[in-house]
Amino acid sequence: MEAPCGGTGTCGKCKVRLQSPGAHPADENLIAFFNAEQIADGWRLACLYKVNTDIYVDLPPQSSVSNIVSQGYMKNFVHAPYARKVLNTGGNADLHLGNNIEAVNVANSTASCCGVAIDLGTTTVVASLVDLNGGREIDTLSCPNGQKAFGQDVITRIHYAGTNSGGTEILQKAIIKDLRNLLNALCRRHNLTMDNIYDVTVAANATMIHLLAGISPESMGKSPYMPAFQGVLSLSGLDLGLPVSPYCRVYCLPAVSSFVGGDITAGILACGLEDPSEKTLFIDIGTNGEIVLADGEHFCSCSCAAGPALEGMNISCGVQAAQGAIEDLFIDEHTVQYTTIGGEPANGICGSGLLAAVAEMRRTGIIDKSGRLLSHSLVKTVAGKKRFIIDDKQNIYLTQQDIRQVQLAKGAILSGIYTLLKTVGIKATELQRVVVAGQFGAHLKADSLIGSGLLPPEWEEIISYTGNTSKSGALICLLSYPERTVVEAIAKNIEYIELAQLEGYETLFVKCMQFDPSA
Ligand code: FES
């Protein structure tokens, strides 16, 4: 089961029903999520329930695997892999591994010299098997990040690592297990052995890289929020316990700060933001929104705490982007029309649906400029609180509190964007490209981004979605050794702005929470 809040009893996403509940005190955690009838019927939060004897439990319907975005935009680059097979006159091959040139007899087949590019996300892991000689992506597999059982976001995992004995090792084991499974499955599917995997590249945020390397991420969880290390990390694949050749190194793309990690430098590389001819804004929206502004000379970045709302968390009927989640929505006078992922019956609303709902509520005047729910046939009052009803039968709705969560995310992201523009001295109208990257971005419509006020309206025509650029960047570094120098130079040249420390930032943040495009 997933435990988005890390088992602190605050998210309510681990509900189970005990078949023989017995007496149980209705503590405040239970009351927050269940009524008296449900408690008597055996409903509990799994994370807080102590099991003392054999029990039978009913699990809620499982959300099936999320729509994991595994492909992303990739600029053109020269094919020159780090692990390069050089054919000798005798027909054998030498494998050059950076400074250590190892002579290895590898099978004389183009598909036998392979590498794996990995996007190690907080929520999902994507691994691509690549033929290093041919420069061809052979296959891609993905899975949810096994660390999810210890918390949904990086903050809860840092907390887990810091407050549990052996916490860092437990989280490291969880992710290594995922990587082993993915690599073994890729090899099995293509009749390869671990000896065929000569090179691995990983793009991930700073917390994930710390945990992969078994380095405590604790220092990133408290002021001044510094990582234990920065820049490139090169690890031995075998030492990590991965099923790879003894010569395989694991190259982790460099991070800029605790909050702008190798997944973002990978995205900058993949989208070619180092191109001096274009002024580009790169946004990766998630629990933390990372934003980079490139004007051809500078890279300026910031990270904003968008909160978990856009990932469907902390929202009354919020779910992750998986089968049955409402992903788009349209208000037609007095009815709501929506579509769900996979066309399944609706089981909640995910981040893209949430933004679409807010954009539609604003368009139809159901909420005012300040985000306040107004009187409307689709707004009902239940237990003294207003709700915007999306589907009465399925009991899916949004509350005023849910709308405030979206406003907090909007305030964080928009204020970050305006701060970067001001710092670099560029007007919003001077940008040539706005790149929206990441899992969440791939499900978004420009209408929702503009209509909800998350992005300024003048950008409608220049927004492009680049998908999983974290994996694209890892792939480029796998297939092109010179591009590693490029990404390392990018990481060194990115200025990082700490928003909270800027004078007047709070005022800008509050202004950006309003549904007013001219904020
Ligand atoms: S309430 Fe149990 S995992 Fe969050």
Side-chain angles (χ1 to χ4, degrees), residues 2-15 33 45-48:
E2 291 181 7
C5 69
T8 54
T10 53
C11 72
K13 301 290 181 195
C14 64
K15 294 171 184 170
F33 296 103
L45 296 176
C47 70
L48 298 183

Side-chain angles (χ1 to χ4, degrees), residues 73-336:
Y73 175 84
M74 245 191 302
K75 66 174 185 179
N76 291 327
F77 58 94
V78 176
H79 176 216
Y82 185 54
R84 177 182 287 277
K85 198 170 88 165
V86 183
L87 289 175
N88 289 333
T89 44
N92 286 326
D94 290 342
L95 188 71
H96 293 237
L97 291 149
N99 296 329
N100 306 319
I101 298 176
E102 304 279 355
V104 184
N105 282 337
V106 294
N108 205 0
S109 138
T110 51
S112 64
C113 185
C114 294
V116 179
I118 295 169
D119 162 38
L120 174 47
T122 311
T123 311
T124 52
V125 187
V126 179
S128 274
L129 179 68
V130 175
D131 163 16
L132 292 176
N133 286 315
R136 186 176 58 97
E137 206 171 342
I138 300 170
D139 196 1
T140 300
L141 289 177
S142 59
C143 68
N145 186 324
Q147 295 175 343
K148 277 166 85 174
F150 306 95
Q152 186 72 23
D153 53 43
V154 293
I155 301 299
T156 44
R157 291 193 207 158
I158 290 172
H159 179 73
Y160 182 89
T163 53
N164 290 277
S165 152
T168 300
E169 291 73 28
I170 292 169
L171 292 172
Q172 184 191 27
K173 268 190 196 151
I175 194 57
I176 296 288
K177 186 177 167 199
D178 289 338
L179 297 184
R180 286 182 64 85
N181 288 342
L182 287 173
L183 265 62
N184 281 329
L186 284 168
C187 285
R188 256 197 322 273
R189 280 157 69 110
H190 298 278
N191 294 324
L192 297 167
T193 70
M194 57 190 268
D195 286 331
N196 296 119
I197 309 294
Y198 290 106
D199 204 1
V200 172
T201 52
V202 180
N205 64 51
T207 303
M208 287 303 110
I209 292 294
H210 277 62
L211 292 173
L212 173 68
I215 299 169
S216 170
E218 255 186 287
S219 59
M220 292 188 285
K222 53 189 178 216
S223 180
Y225 307 103
M226 294 301 289
F229 68 93
Q230 256 167 301
V232 167
L233 194 63
S234 176
L235 306 161
S236 154
L238 276 193
D239 287 354
L240 282 178
L242 297 179
V244 291
S245 152
Y247 306 102
C248 178
R249 301 295 301 177
V250 178
Y251 175 88
C252 304
L253 276 74
V256 178
S257 71
S258 291
F259 303 109
V260 176
D263 50 344
I264 302 303
T265 54
I268 296 170
L269 181 75
C271 295
L273 261 65
E274 72 277 13
D275 178 352
S277 66
E278 279 191 317
K279 294 181 174 60
T280 306
L281 188 81
F282 175 96
I283 313 172
D284 191 333
I285 302 172
T287 307
N288 265 320
E290 285 96 14
I291 310 168
V292 180
L293 180 60
D295 73 346
E297 287 177 36
H298 307 98
F299 297 102
C300 200
S301 70
C302 68
S303 169
C304 41
L310 300 182
E311 297 192 336
M313 295 294 146
N314 282 5
I315 298 294
S316 311
C317 300
V319 290
Q320 287 185 290
Q323 303 289 314
I326 294 175
E327 60 171 347
D328 197 7
L329 183 153
F330 177 73
I331 299 173
D332 184 9
E333 290 209 12
H334 303 294
T335 57
V336 177

Side-chain angles (χ1 to χ4, degrees), residues 331 336 361 366 373 378-379 386-390 397-398:
I331 299 173
V336 177
M361 289 159 83
I366 294 176
L373 268 171
L378 291 170
V379 177
K386 280 183 177 170
R387 287 179 178 182
F388 166 66
I389 307 297
I390 297 172
Y397 55 85
L398 293 179

